[in-house]
Amino acid sequence: MNALKRFFYQTLLWLIIWSVLWFGRGFNSQFLAENSFAFAFQALLIGALIYYIAPMFLFKKKYVLFLIISILGITTLAFISINLFTVPKIPPPFGGGPKNINPKPPSRFFIHFLLY
């Protein structure tokens, strides 16, 4: 398979995966903004594992080295995704914000579930 055809199929695969994930979030544009860089890095890592690292190590029966490189790549990507690409949340105001004075009582279904 030539490189152009392989690139086309990989791009199509990742677009389908991206669409399914986006559909699961209700076509929310914030999901795209928050996860686009992390998704690109994941696609690059998986592509590198499939097309470059696997032929270098798996086909030459260097399984332990392939496992070490895979674990390092996954942990590095997880660290980058968690620390660089997460949107920080605004802390609540001093004093914890408004208090809910009248909490809603539990539903009858929940009480029935707990008792029986």
Side-chain angles (χ1 to χ4, degrees):
M1 184 182 308
N2 61 15
L4 185 63
K5 191 182 242 186
R6 185 169 58 180
F7 176 76
F8 173 74
Y9 284 128
Q10 282 295 312
T11 305
L12 183 66
L13 171 72
W14 287 108
L15 287 176
I16 290 171
I17 292 171
W18 185 253
S19 301
V20 168
L21 290 173
W22 190 33
F23 176 72
R25 295 290 182 166
F27 299 107
N28 187 359
S29 62
Q30 184 180 1
F31 173 76
L32 292 176
E34 290 177 354
N35 296 314
S36 59
F37 290 114
F39 184 76
F41 279 119
Q42 289 173 359
L44 287 174
L45 175 68
I46 292 171
L49 281 173
I50 291 172
Y51 293 113
Y52 299 107
I53 296 172
M56 286 173 52
F57 296 113
L58 281 183
F59 298 149
K60 295 180 182 178
K61 300 190 185 223
K62 297 180 181 178
Y63 301 118
V64 176
L65 195 54
F66 178 76
L67 182 68
I68 291 170
I69 290 173
S70 298
I71 290 173
L72 285 175
I74 291 169
T75 54
T76 303
L77 182 66
F79 178 77
I80 289 171
S81 295
I82 290 170
N83 292 321
L84 296 180
F85 299 127
T86 55
V87 177
K89 297 189 180 195
I90 299 172
F94 184 72
K99 304 286 186 217
N100 190 359
I101 298 172
N102 297 324
K104 191 175 179 182
S107 69
R108 291 183 184 172
F109 173 76
F110 182 68
I111 294 172
H112 181 72
F113 176 74
L114 291 176
L115 293 177
Y116 298 102

